[in-house]
Amino acid sequence: MEDVENIEEDECGFSRNYFLAKELGGSSKRSAHKLSDINIVDEQELRETALNIETKHEKEISELLNDYKTMYPKWVFELRCGFGLLMYGFGSKKLLIEDFASASLTEYSVVVINGYLPSVNLKQVLLALADLLSELLKCRRKSSGSLSKGQETFPSRSIDEILSFLHGSQSEDKDCFICVVVHNIDGPALRDPESQQTLAQLASCSHIRIIASIDHVNAPLLWDKKMVHKQFNWLWHHVPTFAPYKVECVFFPLVLAQGSTAQTAKTAAIVLQSLTPNAQNVFKILAEYQLSHPDEDGMPTDDLYSASRERFFVSSQVTLNSHLTEFKDHELVKTKRNSDGQECLNIPLSADALRQLLLDLNQ
Amino acid sequence: MAPSGTVADPPPSSATDSFNSGASEENDIRPFFVLHKASSGSLQGKSTGTVRSKRTIESPTPKIAKKSEVESAEEEDGQFLSNRRLKIFETVWSKIEKTIENVLRDSNSKIFNGIYDWIRESFESIRSYGALSLSEAVRSYPVLTQASSKQLFTALVLTRNLEMVDDLLTFEELNLHLKSQGCHVAKLSSMDFSAKNGVGGCLRGLLRQFVMPTLDVADVTTLASWYRENENHKNPVVIIVDDTERCCGSVLSDLILILSEWAVKVPIFLIMGVSTAHDAPRKILSVNALQRLCASRFTLSSPAERMDAVLEAVFLKPCSGFTVSHKVALFMRSYFLCQDGTLTSFVRTLKIACLQHFSSEPLSIMLEHFCQDRSNQNLWILQTSYVLIFGGEGNGLLTESTMKHAFDLPSVTRNKITRSTCELLPQFLLDLQRMPNPWSIVVLCIYEAGKFDKLRLLDIFCETLDPEARYLKYFSPSAIVNCQSQVSGRSVIRQVLRKLRDLSPSQWRSLLKRWENLSAEFSEINDKVMELHPLKRSVEAAGQRQGLPNSPKKHASRSHTKLEKELSAMADKVAAVIEFMLREYMKPVESVPFHEILCFKNVDKLQSALLGDPRGRIQSDLLEAHNILHCICCSQRGTTLLPSMHDTSILYTLAQEHADVINLHDWYQSFKTILVSRSSKTKQNSKTCSKSKKRKDRCEEPEAPAEALIQARFCRAVMELQIAGLIRLPSKRRPDFVQRVAFGS
């Protein structure tokens, strides 16, 4: 009964705050100051400075992280009991979770997914996990002396089949699992329902345990009850670290740098690396064309199709379109119409940046 | 396939990261990578090269970094104990889980049998149309013209549960049940009925389940010819759709139309799980499809009913021995009633409680013996008592420190039990594991009486667990039974007692019958119940006299008063029995010494593990950072903001003063004022280089940072607030404002 009252009180507090804020916004005139009134330093300098910000309270933060070390045995126990760990609280939890994995999960293979990146291909992750597991099962059979049942190879490579391979049979050793660390399971690349469904199915596999972190206050809205209770099976841990979000920040624009929405070669390279080799090759054709025809508006779509088809990178217009959608979603490519009314594809990067990108891709 | 092979080398990062090695920096921008493979210790014969890019938190004190021999020995012990604990946890939990599964199966079995009977009867009626030849049965023509032969037999299973999660298991069980009876069963979920894949998608799903898992066609004739193969046509085909409301209506309608055309050739039975109301199909299906349905309705038991059954089996009947304290039970109750309402979440809460118990209470490993049969238990009690009294190693588990812990338990010190005065120890342990437990018999007896008033076992259970309640001190059952006035009070037991007087003779009869069964194994209570029998008989006799037809009016009124008298005498007598039960046996587990061995009590731990509160906690992290960081400099700040505070913390505190939108310029200026407030007034010009300017000591008077640095720090802090989802960046329409998203927790 007490709890019910508490909940109601909390909700009242929330709505009170909300209406107070709304009222404040309505009654007093909004400040008319412009961002341009600030004497903003050069964007380049701003970025460089941002990389070298000294962390405040470094000593206290490292003490905090060391305090969490006492929790490690408990966390391992919880994982072994079949639960998933969900870390939340302010500050980057990347270092903490990886330290935990390196220090306490040595008996298990650990795969890390960087959910803060703009694109993660979950199918590739699943394949890698299936590889690891088949290797693990092979070793186990060898050491236990029993003959291989031929189960370690997974015949076909659809997501469902990989998942059912990872799920294994219930009777097998319960302590044989791979830990999957997902930094920012609420990150931009994993935020869509399909990815969350796949991750939830992955989490419910008997050979998989998930350790994930969230940073967004509304992250729990990503999951329905089936996912929470039956699949992820989360145990929440409040572990604020106050560590700076160094890597997680790379893909966010600086609020004071107005023109910062443009793609940089670095972020583009990271996105491209997560795509299939064929998609990368199509992108290369486009980039090379753009470099060799600097005066044109871009490459006509039809030309790109015939060039890609000649080199066997795509088999049909549908495949090309799916690559192009992927490029457009990540703002790697923009479409324009040239003077002839033809649809043209253009990469919104400078020639230098494009050259650097091609170099990176060819390495 | 090596995962690293799919990812080309990333471009060099310009970040100078103090703790990242080169390898890990590279890993930071890979979508995924293998941190390490299972160590060779756990896997013999592992020879593949492992890429290790361990990152560890640098320990400031050498104590943690270097392990002494003592520590590593302790670690080994810890490892042993943790394995042991895990094993016992698994034993205990699997026992509870199995119990719950059985309870749920029992509660559904009647409905399942009903569904199967319905299928059989309808199947026979379809077969009565006459046998079809093979060529007729697998072709789509001639088109059926009779409306009655296009009817698709459909069962609407009302789950009485808005959340699907509880019913997943139910439909899985139904699937198994029907399969075991020989039906061909396929299970489709709302995922199969998506508008994207259309009706072809769900037909494909059906064929995969019936015909072949690798099949990739969507053709009903394949289904028809499969049905004619071998002996398949001797059994009905059943399709279970567990969450009808979430399906795409048009796709489901299409499927119904297609299947109904084949209804005679392939007798298909559709079982649709409906959670809202029985008319739900009307809302999602097309009129055409609705006309083809020949529906029957089945209703499952409600979550609250199932909950009571589970509670009874897990806590009140012999199960695993594990139990929860009054506070934990109250929390679980309010979580069930106010927040989640699903049995699944209740079971999960129980599992978390069990896990927390094993990870926090060293003596919990003794629960192993509570799971064993009676003869082993008694032997164990003797052994344990011996070890506890005289010291020594018992099974290698009771070390000196655990024994010390055992005698430091609050329930032990409260009862002033020490090692020297513990000759009663075997008795305490016996009390703990005593089965049948008189307390649970009393609770169940009260529950039986409460059933006439539709009381929930959950409420009674929570109330009777309270170790503080002094039932007989606060109210005497006989007084309440006789008291006609409506005494207000939240007590459930009080309510049960008050209701006793209103029972009819037949209700008395059934109540006493059930009490008799419940107390059968416990003679002390059973004797008292048996004493009520003569009274019961006279009540019945009076009841019969009153119920006699054609009796003169005078007689009727006389027999009525006679019956009333008998009933009130009965109520008094029963109240006395209840009084006796409460007085003698109402001893909740928390009043027994050493109950900590099997009772989980830490409600805060349970709550924080079960219900993360990112919205509230992340905001309070920011607003009260000094409490978490324990830094001296910021703790003394009072209400003023200090430049030594975490940047994001400063910025978020400043944001609290704004309305729902924040002017970036103003926000920046106030942020800047905080950072340079105490510094010397030598203000830097905006364009000066920041690199040469580095603040020396954070906690002392900081020098004024350069403009570029302030701006960079502002950007970083805004970005971190954005990552936390606390603000939304400026839109094109409102370029100078950010929007606040969270208002209070």
Side-chain angles (χ1 to χ4, degrees):
Chain A
M1 258 66 83
E2 216 171 87
D3 289 317
V4 186
E5 279 152 24
N6 280 343
I7 292 164
E8 275 169 12
E9 210 168 86
D10 285 350
E11 274 169 10
C12 274
F14 168 73
S15 44
R16 195 168 49 235
N17 280 335
Y18 175 77
F19 287 115
L20 273 178
K22 275 279 178 199
E23 208 172 276
L24 202 62
S27 61
S28 63
K29 189 108 176 74
R30 264 184 207 155
S31 169
H33 287 125
K34 295 260 180 250
L35 194 56
S36 45
D37 297 344
I38 308 170
N39 199 351
I40 298 171
V41 296
D42 176 55
E43 189 182 330
Q44 192 63 27
E45 193 186 342
L46 197 61
R47 284 188 181 279
E48 272 171 25
T49 321
L51 290 174
N52 296 319
I53 298 173
E54 206 178 327
T55 313
K56 288 177 180 179
H57 297 297
E58 218 148 7
K59 194 172 122 248
E60 283 85 359
I61 288 175
S62 73
E63 270 170 18
L64 196 61
L65 290 176
N66 272 315
D67 283 349
Y68 293 137
K69 283 192 176 191
T70 54
M71 307 280 284
Y72 288 0
K74 193 171 168 271
W75 292 350
V76 178
F77 185 70
E78 291 171 352
L79 281 176
R80 294 177 75 188
C81 289
F83 285 91
L85 305 183
L86 187 64
M87 312 295 188
Y88 73 105
F90 184 77
S92 171
K93 291 158 283 290
K94 191 171 166 56
L95 181 61
L96 173 71
I97 297 179
E98 284 180 17
D99 177 71
F100 163 62
S102 301
S104 302
L105 297 175
T106 47
E107 283 177 43
Y108 311 98
S109 301
V110 179
V111 171
V112 179
I113 303 175
N114 290 325
Y116 50 80
L117 295 175
S119 83
V120 176
N121 186 331
L122 281 180
K123 193 171 172 186
Q124 286 180 2
V125 180
L126 293 182
L127 276 172
L129 285 171
D131 267 332
L132 269 178
L133 181 66
S134 67
E135 203 177 300
L136 193 74
L137 292 178
K138 236 186 266 174
C139 288
R140 292 228 159 189
R141 287 216 187 87
K142 235 183 248 171
S143 59
S144 66
S146 68
L147 282 171
S148 144
K149 280 179 269 173
Q151 202 212 345
E152 67 270 13
T153 51
F154 30 98
S156 141
R157 302 195 148 194
S158 83
I159 287 192
D160 288 340
E161 269 149 343
I162 303 172
L163 283 171
S164 72
F165 170 71
L166 290 172
H167 195 57
S169 59
Q170 292 293 335
S171 56
E172 277 178 55
D173 184 6
K174 277 187 183 160
D175 216 27
C176 167
F177 56 81
I178 300 173
C179 296
V180 180
V181 171
V182 191
H183 294 303
N184 285 81
I185 197 165
D186 56 347
L190 303 175
R191 222 170 260 177
D192 59 308
E194 287 85 26
S195 301
Q196 290 297 330
Q197 280 292 349
T198 315
L199 282 172
Q201 282 171 312
L202 176 68
S204 65
C205 292
S206 60
H207 287 300
I208 298 290
R209 296 287 186 282
I210 291 212
I211 305 147
S213 67
I214 56 166
D215 284 305
H216 200 284
V217 289
N218 290 335
L221 299 180
L222 291 171
W223 308 307
D224 62 22
K225 281 194 179 151
K226 182 184 170 194
M227 289 155 106
V228 170
H229 296 319
K230 292 261 177 183
Q231 296 178 313
F232 285 122
N233 207 2
W234 293 131
L235 277 185
W236 291 76
H237 290 279
H238 179 232
V239 282
T241 62
F242 289 91
Y245 289 98
K246 280 192 176 157
V247 266
E248 292 92 333
C249 270
V250 173
F251 299 94
F252 284 86
L254 295 177
V255 71
L256 292 181
Q258 288 293 304
S260 60
T261 44
Q263 282 277 354
T264 62
K266 189 179 156 196
T267 52
I270 292 167
V271 172
L272 279 172
Q273 275 155 7
S274 68
L275 300 179
T276 60
N278 277 344
Q280 291 184 18
N281 286 327
V282 171
F283 187 82
K284 273 186 215 160
I285 295 179
L286 191 59
E288 278 156 11
Y289 182 90
Q290 192 167 320
L291 286 175
S292 54
H293 302 81
D295 303 328
E296 286 182 22
D297 288 332
M299 188 176 188
T301 316
D302 297 341
D303 294 0
L304 179 65
Y305 175 58
S306 45
S308 313
R309 212 186 135 97
E310 269 167 28
R311 298 187 216 173
F312 298 106
F313 295 149
V314 297
S315 55
S316 67
Q317 187 77 43
V318 181
T319 346
L320 179 69
N321 284 347
S322 71
H323 292 325
L324 288 179
T325 317
E326 192 92 46
F327 296 155
K328 283 177 201 161
D329 285 350
H330 295 296
E331 293 180 7
L332 291 172
V333 160
K334 293 220 155 90
T335 45
K336 264 188 207 168
R337 286 198 184 274
N338 66 6
S339 45
D340 303 338
Q342 252 181 328
E343 199 184 34
C344 284
L345 301 163
N346 174 45
I347 304 169
L349 284 176
S350 67
D352 285 341
L354 209 52
R355 258 179 230 117
Q356 179 62 42
L357 181 60
L358 280 177
L359 269 180
D360 289 342
L361 280 180
N362 288 330
Q363 264 173 12
Chain B
M1 189 197 74
S4 50
T6 60
V7 183
D9 285 339
S13 164
S14 51
T16 50
D17 210 329
S18 58
F19 51 74
N20 280 2
S21 65
S24 56
E25 202 174 282
E26 195 177 289
N27 283 334
D28 286 345
I29 48 173
R30 283 185 181 170
F32 70 98
F33 62 95
V34 180
L35 184 70
H36 63 243
K37 292 188 180 177
S39 70
S40 49
S42 65
L43 280 176
Q44 276 102 47
K46 197 164 190 63
S47 58
T48 44
T50 55
V51 188
R52 290 208 171 215
S53 58
K54 277 197 177 183
R55 0 175 94 174
T56 45
I57 297 169
E58 293 296 319
S59 174
T61 47
K63 195 183 86 190
I64 302 171
K66 282 188 181 175
K67 275 180 202 148
S68 67
E69 276 175 26
V70 180
E71 275 172 336
S72 59
E74 269 175 14
E75 201 172 79
E76 242 166 58
D77 272 359
Q79 186 70 20
F80 168 74
L81 273 180
S82 127
N83 282 340
R84 183 79 195 230
R85 220 177 276 170
L86 181 72
K87 226 182 103 210
I88 302 170
F89 166 78
E90 275 166 3
T91 318
V92 168
W93 181 250
S94 68
K95 200 153 192 172
I96 297 179
E97 206 172 27
K98 202 152 278 161
T99 310
I100 295 174
E101 269 172 24
N102 289 339
V103 167
L104 294 181
R105 193 170 302 135
D106 288 349
S107 80
N108 289 328
S109 64
K110 215 173 128 196
I111 306 287
F112 287 180
N113 289 332
I115 292 177
Y116 178 67
D117 292 342
W118 163 79
I119 290 177
R120 267 291 150 198
E121 277 168 33
S122 320
F123 184 59
E124 292 310 324
S125 78
I126 295 177
R127 295 226 309 188
S128 66
Y129 289 141
L132 294 163
S133 71
L134 180 68
S135 58
E136 275 177 317
V138 295
R139 66 184 183 212
S140 54
Y141 57 90
V143 178
L144 297 171
T145 45
Q146 272 180 304
S148 65
S149 55
K150 282 191 193 174
Q151 291 285 302
L152 196 61
F153 286 95
T154 307
L156 296 181
V157 180
L158 286 183
T159 59
R160 297 164 78 185
N161 202 348
L162 268 179
E163 269 300 331
M164 254 315 288
V165 65
D166 271 359
D167 305 314
L168 294 172
L169 186 70
T170 311
F171 285 103
E172 198 48 56
E173 291 276 338
L174 178 61
N175 183 355
L176 293 178
H177 178 80
L178 293 178
K179 270 186 183 156
S180 71
Q181 304 284 350
C183 303
H184 308 289
V185 192
K187 203 161 154 281
L188 296 177
S189 71
S190 55
M191 307 264 255
D192 298 295
F193 291 94
S194 66
K196 197 174 138 201
N197 293 331
V199 73
C202 51
L203 271 179
R204 223 168 284 141
L206 275 183
L207 291 174
R208 276 193 195 147
Q209 292 186 48
F210 284 129
V211 188
M212 212 193 297
T214 52
L215 205 69
D216 202 31
V217 290
D219 184 8
V220 195
T221 47
T222 320
L223 187 68
S225 45
W226 161 81
Y227 190 64
R228 289 288 139 188
E229 277 169 21
N230 306 327
E231 299 284 290
N232 285 347
H233 63 280
K234 289 198 172 153
N235 285 308
V237 175
V238 181
I239 298 173
I240 302 179
V241 183
D242 51 13
D243 45 354
T244 312
E245 279 97 338
R246 289 166 83 180
C247 295
C248 169
S250 61
V251 180
L252 184 57
S253 303
D254 286 349
L255 184 75
I256 289 173
L257 289 176
I258 293 175
L259 294 180
S260 63
E261 294 293 340
W262 289 80
V264 175
K265 294 164 188 168
V266 186
I268 287 183
F269 297 87
L270 196 59
I271 297 181
M272 304 208 290
V274 179
S275 52
T276 48
H278 61 270
D279 63 342
R282 202 173 295 162
K283 287 174 190 145
I284 59 166
L285 295 178
S286 67
V287 183
N288 280 345
L290 278 174
Q291 282 173 342
R292 302 286 174 90
L293 297 183
C294 171
S296 307
R297 200 191 305 165
F298 297 90
T299 311
L300 295 172
S301 52
S302 75
E305 285 162 11
R306 273 182 271 175
M307 172 82 159
D308 284 354
V310 165
L311 211 58
E312 183 177 338
V314 173
F315 291 119
L316 298 169
K317 295 271 167 74
C319 180
S320 64
F322 172 74
T323 187
V324 293
S325 74
H326 177 237
K327 279 190 179 145
V328 174
L330 278 184
F331 167 74
M332 287 168 76
R333 177 179 172 275
S334 78
Y335 178 62
F336 176 74
L337 293 180
C338 311
Q339 298 200 21
D340 203 285
T342 64
L343 187 64
T344 315
S345 72
F346 184 81
V347 173
R348 205 173 88 88
T349 318
L350 188 61
K351 188 174 180 185
I352 296 177
C354 191
L355 166 94
Q356 303 267 7
H357 183 59
F358 277 94
S359 72
S360 59
E361 176 55 59
L363 288 170
S364 59
I365 41 178
M366 291 189 182
L367 262 168
E368 184 183 19
H369 303 277
F370 286 84
C371 294
Q372 290 171 347
D373 56 57
R374 196 78 57 84
S375 56
N376 280 343
Q377 276 181 11
N378 289 337
L379 183 69
W380 168 78
I381 283 173
L382 285 177
Q383 267 180 4
T384 317
S385 322
Y386 180 83
V387 173
L388 281 173
I389 298 168
F390 302 108
E393 294 281 309
N395 329 339
L397 288 178
L398 292 170
T399 57
E400 188 57 36
S401 63
T402 30
M403 286 204 290
K404 189 173 176 312
H405 170 79
F407 284 96
D408 284 343
L409 290 174
S411 66
V412 177
T413 47
R414 193 171 53 228
N415 286 295
K416 300 198 176 66
I417 301 166
T418 57
R419 283 198 197 189
S420 50
T421 63
C422 62
E423 59 278 3
L424 287 171
L425 195 68
Q427 189 54 47
F428 295 136
L429 293 174
L430 258 177
D431 272 355
L432 267 186
Q433 56 90 59
R434 189 169 182 184
M435 278 301 162
N437 182 341
W439 172 80
S440 60
I441 293 176
V442 177
V443 176
L444 285 174
C445 285
I446 294 174
Y447 174 48
E448 284 302 336
K451 271 183 182 170
F452 299 112
D453 205 13
K454 295 205 170 97
L455 282 179
R456 292 268 154 243
L457 179 58
L458 183 59
D459 301 328
I460 298 174
F461 177 71
C462 285
E463 186 168 319
T464 49
L465 270 181
D466 188 0
E468 304 293 314
R470 297 279 176 271
Y471 301 97
L472 300 168
K473 204 170 169 190
Y474 293 125
F475 57 90
S476 128
S478 43
I480 288 174
V481 173
N482 289 321
C483 178
Q484 295 297 318
S485 65
Q486 294 290 315
V487 188
S488 67
R490 273 177 169 177
S491 164
V492 191
I493 297 180
R494 201 183 273 247
Q495 208 176 322
V496 173
L497 292 171
R498 216 180 297 131
K499 196 75 189 170
L500 282 180
R501 190 168 277 278
D502 303 335
L503 298 188
S504 69
S506 63
Q507 284 174 325
W508 276 121
R509 193 171 51 232
S510 66
L511 176 66
L512 289 188
K513 182 92 200 131
R514 280 185 241 154
W515 277 16
E516 220 180 292
N517 290 339
L518 284 172
S519 59
E521 282 185 66
F522 195 73
S523 57
E524 284 92 330
I525 296 181
N526 194 254
D527 291 348
K528 292 277 173 188
V529 175
M530 291 313 237
E531 281 171 21
L532 295 171
H533 269 272
L535 268 171
K536 186 187 84 178
R537 270 192 290 275
S538 53
V539 166
E540 273 169 17
Q544 273 162 4
R545 263 199 302 281
Q546 194 204 7
L548 280 179
N550 307 328
S551 57
K553 226 175 185 181
K554 208 165 76 182
H555 276 267
S557 69
R558 203 187 300 153
S559 61
H560 183 73
T561 42
K562 166 93 173 140
L563 175 68
E564 261 188 4
K565 238 185 222 164
E566 295 287 353
L567 281 175
S568 104
M570 183 81 190
D572 288 344
K573 195 79 185 153
V574 170
V577 173
I578 292 183
E579 199 163 339
F580 163 78
M581 293 199 282
L582 292 178
R583 188 178 57 234
E584 296 294 322
Y585 301 108
M586 199 45 132
K587 291 192 181 101
V589 67
E590 280 174 89
S591 59
V592 183
F594 293 105
H595 70 266
E596 285 90 344
I597 296 174
L598 39 86
C599 179
F600 175 70
K601 298 171 85 168
N602 197 332
V603 68
D604 295 331
K605 254 189 181 174
L606 176 66
Q607 186 168 3
S608 64
L610 177 73
L611 296 168
D613 174 22
R615 223 185 151 80
R617 297 299 279 272
I618 291 176
Q619 289 187 76
S620 69
D621 288 348
L622 283 170
L623 297 176
E624 284 145 33
H626 55 273
N627 289 342
I628 295 164
L629 286 172
H630 303 297
C631 66
I632 310 145
C633 48
C634 311
S635 304
Q636 296 159 342
R637 72 180 174 99
T639 51
T640 52
L641 293 169
L642 297 179
S644 68
M645 284 167 64
H646 195 284
D647 286 342
T648 318
S649 193
I650 298 178
L651 204 60
Y652 193 60
T653 315
L654 288 173
Q656 302 299 304
E657 293 159 16
H658 287 263
D660 56 341
V661 288
I662 306 171
N663 183 292
L664 267 173
H665 175 271
D666 296 354
W667 204 17
Y668 172 72
Q669 290 302 345
S670 34
F671 179 69
K672 189 174 163 188
T673 325
I674 303 290
L675 289 197
V676 295
S677 59
R678 293 221 195 146
S679 59
S680 53
K681 300 292 173 199
T682 52
K683 281 203 172 176
Q684 307 283 319
N685 271 336
S686 60
K687 291 273 176 174
T688 47
C689 181
S690 64
K691 282 175 206 158
S692 55
K693 276 268 168 200
K694 280 200 174 169
R695 293 178 311 113
K696 292 273 156 42
D697 197 331
R698 296 171 302 282
C699 289
E700 285 170 17
E701 286 288 304
E703 283 178 58
E707 183 81 21
L709 186 60
I710 298 178
Q711 288 184 6
R713 280 163 64 172
F714 179 74
C715 288
R716 166 69 71 85
V718 170
M719 224 186 281
E720 294 192 335
L721 287 180
Q722 199 193 344
I723 289 179
L726 294 169
I727 56 157
R728 214 172 284 155
L729 275 201
S731 60
K732 276 186 186 142
R733 200 166 57 86
R734 220 163 35 192
D736 296 310
F737 293 89
V738 292
Q739 189 166 7
R740 273 177 74 187
V741 180
F743 301 90
S745 44

